[in-house]
């Protein structure tokens, strides 16, 4: 019952803007997500209208943010590292429907889930989609609108549908 009340309060507060004068709404939401089991580091921001479902499986290290209108499905673990930038309308899914080849349907076949790990210093462009089981290495840049269905190494710049490596950034 308490989790339902916390979810309702977080949902209502998610409708307020997170502008410089309204940053305290983000802080209230972060406190409520922590009460419902999320692990969120210092100096984090959760943008307006952002939704995090099943937040007990959600963790975000310090200096990171969830973009405005972003959606995070935490059916399995979703871990966001330090200094991760997230544009608006990003979607992260840790579960998906099962496909049955015999009767060619998803209907009543259940779901599969796998953790999503986004390491430190990543940048997720606007409207990018991260699917279950993805691990993004340190410093990965995801171009706007990309659909990421597999893991990528450190410092990769990725984009497209499905996402592919565009280049590897120099670390020197």
């Amino acid at each position: 019952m308490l989790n339902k009340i916390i979810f309702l309060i977080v949902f209502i507060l998610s409708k307020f803007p997170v502008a410089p004068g309204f940053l305290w709404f983000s802080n209230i939401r972060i406190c409520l997500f922590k009460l419902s089991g999320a692990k969120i580091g210092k100096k984090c921001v959760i943008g307006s209208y952002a939704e995090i479902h099943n937040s007990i499986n959600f963790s975000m290290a310090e200096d990171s943010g969830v973009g405005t209108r972003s959606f995070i499905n935490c059916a399995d673990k979703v871990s966001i590292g330090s200094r991760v930038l997230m544009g608006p309308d990003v979607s992260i899914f840790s579960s998906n429907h099962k496909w049955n080849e015999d009767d060619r349907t998803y209907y009543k076949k259940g779901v599969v889930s796998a953790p999503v790990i986004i390491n430190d210093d990543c940048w997720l462009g606007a409207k990018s989609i991260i699917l279950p089981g993805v691990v993004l290495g340190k410093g990965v840049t995801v171009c706007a609108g990309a659909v990421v269905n597999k893991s990528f190494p450190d410092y990769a710049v990725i984009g497209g549908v499905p996402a592919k490596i565009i280049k590897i950034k120099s670390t020197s």
Side-chain angles (χ1 to χ4, degrees):
M1 180 65 176
L2 180 61
N3 276 347
K4 288 181 181 180
I5 293 170
I6 291 172
F7 176 78
L8 182 62
I9 293 169
V10 168
F11 178 77
I12 292 167
L13 288 175
S14 73
K15 304 310 176 198
F16 290 94
V18 179
F22 294 96
L23 195 55
W24 60 277
F25 282 119
S26 175
N27 293 336
I28 291 171
R29 281 197 306 256
I30 287 171
C31 288
L32 291 169
F33 278 124
K34 285 181 178 181
L35 280 174
S36 64
K39 295 168 189 68
I40 301 174
K42 295 177 181 174
K43 296 193 265 180
C44 290
V45 174
I46 297 178
S48 301
Y49 310 102
E51 296 181 38
I52 302 171
H53 289 218
N54 201 15
S55 59
I56 196 163
N57 291 328
F58 179 75
S59 67
M60 181 167 56
E62 46 285 324
D63 295 317
S64 292
V66 174
T68 300
R69 295 179 309 276
S70 291
F71 175 83
I72 302 175
N73 163 350
C74 301
D76 204 317
K77 174 182 161 189
V78 173
S79 176
I80 297 174
S82 297
R83 300 171 304 280
V84 172
L85 302 173
M86 190 181 299
D89 303 301
V90 169
S91 296
I92 300 173
F93 298 94
S94 63
S95 66
N96 207 346
H97 295 279
K98 287 183 184 177
W99 172 254
N100 185 310
E101 194 61 49
D102 295 335
D103 55 6
R104 302 176 90 56
T105 184
Y106 294 101
Y107 183 69
K108 291 189 176 180
K109 303 306 178 210
V111 296
V112 291
S113 61
V116 173
I117 300 170
I118 299 166
N119 284 298
D120 298 344
D121 303 310
C122 289
W123 177 16
L124 307 181
K127 298 187 179 184
S128 56
I129 299 171
I130 313 296
L131 297 176
V134 167
V135 177
L136 297 180
K138 179 180 172 117
V140 169
T141 301
V142 180
C143 293
V147 176
V148 184
N149 63 352
K150 64 182 181 181
S151 299
F152 288 94
D154 294 353
Y155 303 107
V157 177
I158 61 174
V161 179
K164 295 182 172 101
I165 294 178
I166 296 170
K167 71 175 189 173
I168 301 292
K169 294 182 275 188
S170 171
T171 56
S172 55

